[in-house]
Amino acid sequence: MEELLGTIDEIIYQNEMNSYTVANFQTEQGDITIVGYLPFIVAGDTLKLLGKIVVHPDYGEQFKVETFEKIMPQTLSALEKYLANGNIKGVGPATAKKIVQKFGEETISILKFEPQKLTAIKGITVDKALQISEDFIGSWELWQIVGFLEQFGIGVQNAKNVYKALGANAVQAIEENPYILVDIVHNVDFKKIDQLALKIGIPYNNHQRIQSGIKYAINCTVNNGHCRVLKSNLIPFVSELLKVTKEEVEENLIVLRTKEEIIIESDEKQQEWIYFVSFYRAEENIANRITLLNRAENIKKIPYIEKEMQKIEKNSAIELSDKQKEAIIAVNENNVCIITGGPGTGKTTIIKTMIQIYQAKGKKVVLCAPTGRAAKRMSETTGEEAKTLHRLLEIGKMEEDASMQVTEYDVAPIDADVVIVDEASMVDIFLMNYLVKALFQGTKLVLVGDVDQLPSVGPGSILKDLIQSQKIATITLNKIFRQAAKSKIIVNAHRVNEGEELLGKEEAENTAQYPELKQDFFFIQENHPDKIVEQVISLCSGRLQNFGNYDFFKNIQVLTPTKKGSLGTKELNKVLQKYLNPPSEALVEKRIGDTIFREKDRVMQVKNNYDIYWERRNTNTFDEKKYETGSGVFNGELGIIERINEEEKTVKIHFDDDKYAWYDYQELEQIEHAYAITIHKAQRK
């Protein structure tokens, strides 16, 4: 292991999520590029590094950092550069120079212990001097928290949250009571916290320990998509986890309820259920508001709806089934209505018909869906604009909050007569809570979805629970329409739900038995991972051309259940990139950590980003503007890397909805290859 002492001259790249850093490092022996995980490091920092020299095949000699220690600048010039790096509010290069010239070797002592002396410099008031001192101490101590928190599996982003909550004395506060981390950090490793607490002498039956153990247990349930846990299951689990008596767990449940951190509710079977307060309030608000909405006067009702449907059928040359008519009548007769059914059962035709009927009567219809891809698909099938729920409600960066306990957001009221939510099975309790808050009394709410799809990523199963409550008018579509029935994909989707064998396993037999079916489904049985990979490569690189004009980048998507392993997304993406978009002198590429992004790569946005600027060619012939512009790219959106600009350090991505967005290199942690994606991500599309 080698040791280097020097100063960060320039940060070339730093991943905001995990702090993987590439920087130019100045030493007495000369400059060298350093790479490694360096949280809370900025230009001007003086570091002692431990690591080794490595030779990168593309970037040459680098120093790979294993561990580091941040030390005070060793020279006045280094100190001036550190103060001028922009990390201390109100101190730029000019002010930094004045401070160092005025106080020389005593500068650090003045900043830490006698900040009022800074007022000797023109322009620095007492308040500003105190703020400079506070920022200097804070930025200095912040990085120390990271190493301490690593033992609990707490990453850089959450370390910042800990510092924000506990301040400069965070380490001391955690050492005195490690359990405070349970309230600050979502998904913290409770067992490691518990080990430290017991090691420093906190007794087994300590109230904070038991209460934190209870919260941890409830969170385990929440992380599995549930909103509550049976008290009869929780108590023995916590008792065994903490090695305390059931009576002690019971006592602390009472304390948590008194502190209004949990709610205990009995059901009709006299079973007691335990909720976090925020989850209970969200469910309660959904139930109350939907009930009020449904009971409100039906002021948006269209008279003689049957005649309106006949007009649509005549003008559109479509024939609505009895079940589709029943669904449209149910929407007209109720303020809240659910339409559910599998693929090919006519949900889209119902939506399009409802839009035409209500718009013809001067009513405003708003279309939305929980994900960007679902909203885009809704727009394509209806010809009307559809928004994501996040965008519609203007609730901002909800998914980026560290704690699931934070549920109060300001939402924008929805100006609409009818709100139609597609893919409603993917809406969790928090998103639904915000939606019902935004609806005016008298607005019609139509929830459309398939309860047999994967549930929401967040907690709750809203669509399924509302249907089972039997309080909301629900129309279930179970007939596959003739056109859809020609697709083996749709037929097999229904056969899976019904527990029947797939069509396509015995291709010759099934082709003869079902001659009208499209050859759009094939079952290939293969058990060996390497053979499966070979099949995937073969299918993606030309074999499917035998069955249609299938181009991988336009028509094919590989789905897999998992991220890990040889058949997971990580490995499949590497293999498929190699075969479908190999290295070429004509294609610029950019390495970020272990990932190589290359022009023409298929990629996916993996988190909501409301700020990324985009442009789209304007197709509105009545609008003189050549381009439509906006901001925001959302989780699940797919695109192709069109250009990597090394000079500007940007990546231009052409997304499926024809918008072009520009990413700085440091924003590329939001992008993953999408040659292969998980089934869950496919749903978010």
Side-chain angles (χ1 to χ4, degrees):
M1 196 83 69
E2 299 177 54
E3 180 179 301
L4 282 184
L5 180 65
T7 303
I8 298 286
D9 178 54
E10 178 190 7
I11 292 180
I12 300 168
Y13 167 78
Q14 188 167 55
N15 185 309
E16 291 183 6
M17 297 298 291
N18 61 18
S19 291
Y20 181 84
T21 303
V22 180
N24 186 45
F25 194 64
Q26 290 182 336
T27 72
E28 291 184 354
Q29 292 75 36
D31 293 359
I32 188 170
T33 300
I34 61 172
V35 296
Y37 296 95
L38 302 169
F40 305 122
I41 293 303
V42 295
D45 281 349
T46 301
L47 307 178
K48 182 194 291 184
L49 308 177
L50 288 178
K52 60 182 179 180
I53 298 290
V54 296
V55 179
H56 191 279
D58 296 325
Y59 305 110
E61 190 175 271
Q62 300 175 334
F63 187 84
K64 186 176 181 181
V65 180
E66 297 295 333
T67 62
F68 75 96
E69 179 184 352
K70 187 174 178 179
I71 60 179
M72 283 292 181
Q74 302 296 293
T75 65
L76 291 180
S77 61
L79 178 58
E80 181 183 324
K81 187 171 185 177
Y82 174 78
L83 295 176
N85 65 18
N87 206 39
I88 299 173
K89 187 177 179 181
V91 178
T95 303
K97 189 176 188 68
K98 291 176 184 177
I99 291 174
V100 173
Q101 285 180 344
K102 175 72 175 175
F103 300 107
E105 300 291 345
E106 294 183 349
T107 299
I108 291 174
S109 177
I110 296 294
L111 287 168
K112 293 179 72 174
F113 306 114
E114 300 177 280
Q116 64 275 10
K117 289 187 177 181
L118 294 173
T119 58
I121 295 172
K122 188 177 179 180
I124 298 182
T125 63
V126 173
D127 288 344
K128 186 174 181 180
L130 294 175
Q131 184 64 52
I132 290 171
S133 175
E134 184 179 332
D135 288 351
F136 176 79
I137 294 171
S139 64
W140 180 254
E141 294 177 340
L142 180 59
W143 74 273
Q144 301 179 60
I145 298 172
V146 177
F148 177 75
L149 292 177
E150 280 181 352
Q151 61 187 303
F152 306 117
I154 297 174
V156 175
Q157 205 62 37
N158 277 321
K160 293 178 182 177
N161 294 335
V162 172
Y163 180 78
K164 185 177 180 181
L166 302 178
N169 296 320
V171 173
Q172 180 182 343
I174 294 166
E175 285 178 334
E176 292 173 357
N177 175 23
Y179 297 111
I180 58 177
L181 290 172
V182 175
D183 295 324
I184 299 173
V185 183
H186 179 54
N187 271 352
V188 70
D189 190 332
F190 174 80
K191 293 180 181 179
K192 290 183 178 179
I193 291 175
D194 197 38
Q195 288 172 1
L196 175 64
L198 295 173
K199 188 176 180 180
I200 64 176
I202 292 179
Y204 273 74
N205 62 352
N206 176 274
H207 290 312
Q208 289 177 321
R209 177 174 187 260
I210 297 173
Q211 289 167 32
S212 293
I214 290 170
K215 294 176 188 176
Y216 165 73
I218 299 173
N219 265 322
C220 288
T221 300
V222 168
N223 292 335
N224 286 322
H226 303 291
C227 299
R228 61 182 186 172
V229 59
L230 268 172
K231 182 179 176 182
S232 58
N233 290 339
L234 179 73
I235 290 176
F237 176 86
V238 176
S239 174
E240 176 63 27
L241 174 73
L242 303 180
K243 308 302 179 189
V244 296
T245 67
K246 294 178 181 178
E247 291 73 21
E248 287 170 323
V249 178
E250 182 88 56
E251 290 171 7
N252 282 279
L253 281 171
I254 295 171
V255 174
L256 286 172
R257 181 164 61 176
T258 303
K259 292 161 64 177
E260 297 188 346
E261 294 189 45
I262 63 169
I263 285 179
I264 303 177
E265 182 184 62
S266 296
D267 63 15
E268 64 278 0
K269 298 179 182 178
Q270 300 305 308
Q271 297 181 112
E272 290 187 294
W273 293 89
I274 298 173
Y275 296 77
F276 281 130
V277 169
S278 58
F279 286 69
Y280 184 87
R281 298 293 182 226
E283 280 200 350
E284 183 179 51
N285 187 60
I286 293 167
N288 290 340
R289 285 183 177 260
I290 284 185
T291 300
L292 288 172
L293 194 66
N294 207 32
R295 290 177 179 173
E297 184 181 355
N298 189 357
I299 59 177
K300 310 298 182 184
K301 183 176 179 179
I302 303 293
Y304 308 110
I305 191 73
E306 291 85 355
K307 289 185 178 180
E308 300 301 327
M309 286 189 285
Q310 289 173 6
K311 290 180 186 177
I312 299 296
E313 286 182 304
K314 183 178 179 180
N315 295 333
S316 304
I318 63 169
E319 183 178 347
L320 297 170
S321 70
D322 290 342
K323 207 69 174 175
Q324 288 175 319
K325 292 177 182 178
E326 182 185 346
I328 295 167
I329 292 171
V331 170
N332 195 50
E333 295 292 332
N334 298 275
N335 286 334
V336 183
C337 187
I338 296 171
I339 301 171
T340 183
T345 54
K347 298 190 295 293
T348 299
T349 299
I350 293 172
I351 293 173
K352 291 168 70 174
T353 304
M354 286 192 297
I355 292 170
Q356 292 181 62
I357 289 173
Y358 283 97
Q359 285 183 344
K361 297 299 179 181
K363 307 296 184 185
K364 183 176 180 180
V365 181
V366 167
L367 307 180
C368 56
T371 69
R373 189 68 174 180
K376 181 194 173 188
R377 188 164 56 245
M378 196 178 190
S379 294
E380 291 171 343
T381 56
T382 63
E384 301 286 336
E385 181 188 18
K387 295 182 178 180
T388 65
L389 281 165
H390 290 83
R391 178 65 73 187
L392 177 66
L393 298 170
E394 300 177 11
I395 56 178
K397 303 177 183 180
M398 180 184 72
E399 294 183 355
E400 276 65 58
D401 283 307
S403 173
M404 294 187 72
Q405 297 297 309
V406 181
T407 60
E408 292 303 319
Y409 290 85
D410 292 329
V411 294
I414 301 173
D415 177 22
D417 297 299
V418 182
V419 175
I420 303 175
V421 184
D422 200 11
E423 302 289 5
S425 65
M426 290 190 283
V427 180
D428 64 26
I429 63 165
F430 296 123
L431 204 48
M432 179 59 75
N433 186 30
Y434 308 136
L435 173 61
V436 296
K437 281 183 180 182
L439 295 175
F440 292 110
Q441 290 295 301
T443 301
K444 285 185 176 292
L445 174 63
V446 184
L447 302 175
V448 182
D450 181 358
V451 291
D452 292 319
Q453 282 193 341
L454 291 170
S456 61
V457 176
S461 185
I462 296 295
L463 187 67
K464 185 176 181 181
D465 289 346
L466 286 174
I467 292 171
Q468 290 180 347
S469 74
Q470 299 183 350
K471 302 292 185 182
I472 305 300
T474 300
I475 306 301
T476 302
L477 308 171
N478 46 30
K479 175 188 174 183
I480 306 176
F481 279 79
R482 184 180 304 168
Q483 190 64 30
K486 294 180 180 180
S487 167
K488 280 187 183 178
I489 295 173
I490 291 176
V491 171
N492 279 326
H494 287 268
R495 291 176 75 93
V496 167
N497 287 339
E498 293 161 9
E500 298 178 1
E501 187 174 354
L502 296 176
L503 297 181
K505 292 188 72 171
E506 299 294 338
E507 202 55 54
E509 175 188 339
N510 287 329
T511 300
Q513 189 176 353
Y514 304 96
E516 76 283 1
L517 289 179
K518 295 178 184 176
Q519 296 304 302
D520 60 1
F521 179 95
F522 300 92
F523 182 91
I524 302 170
Q525 185 162 335
E526 183 59 72
N527 298 320
H528 194 281
D530 291 344
K531 294 291 184 182
I532 295 173
V533 172
E534 289 177 9
Q535 291 275 13
V536 170
I537 293 169
S538 173
L539 289 164
C540 292
S541 55
R543 184 165 144 204
L544 285 175
Q545 293 283 355
N546 297 326
F547 303 95
N549 186 26
Y550 294 121
D551 172 79
F552 179 85
F553 291 94
K554 295 178 180 178
N555 313 110
I556 300 172
Q557 180 65 64
V558 178
L559 304 180
T560 180
T562 182
K563 289 184 176 182
K564 299 179 180 179
S566 60
L567 298 177
T569 55
K570 292 184 181 298
E571 292 304 316
L572 281 176
N573 273 316
K574 290 178 183 178
V575 171
L576 289 170
Q577 183 194 40
K578 175 183 175 181
Y579 280 90
L580 300 171
N581 191 31
S584 164
E585 290 184 4
L587 300 176
V588 181
E589 57 185 50
K590 173 65 179 176
R591 178 183 290 271
I592 303 294
D594 294 331
T595 303
I596 296 175
F597 290 107
R598 186 175 295 131
E599 290 174 343
K600 294 189 178 181
D601 272 345
R602 177 190 278 173
V603 293
M604 174 186 277
Q605 176 81 9
V606 295
K607 61 183 289 189
N608 288 340
N609 186 319
Y610 296 77
D611 304 318
I612 290 182
Y613 171 82
W614 54 258
E615 293 180 357
R616 181 191 291 125
R617 185 173 291 279
N618 197 341
T619 57
N620 187 347
T621 55
F622 299 100
D623 192 336
E624 294 181 358
K625 292 182 180 178
K626 190 174 181 180
Y627 289 97
E628 174 191 1
T629 63
S631 63
V633 181
F634 301 99
N635 188 358
E637 292 198 49
L638 289 169
I640 300 292
I641 293 179
E642 185 166 283
R643 187 183 179 202
I644 297 176
N645 190 321
E646 280 285 4
E647 184 176 337
E648 297 179 3
K649 301 189 185 307
T650 59
V651 175
K652 181 181 180 182
I653 299 177
H654 181 196
F655 284 95
D656 282 356
D657 59 355
D658 283 333
K659 66 171 174 272
Y660 293 84
W662 286 261
Y663 288 71
D664 293 332
Y665 281 172
Q666 62 264 30
E667 293 175 313
L668 291 180
E669 86 280 352
Q670 303 172 30
I671 293 294
E672 290 181 358
H673 285 117
Y675 296 92
I677 61 177
T678 62
I679 294 168
H680 218 156
K681 277 292 184 186
Q683 178 161 306
R684 293 195 66 83
K685 287 166 54 193

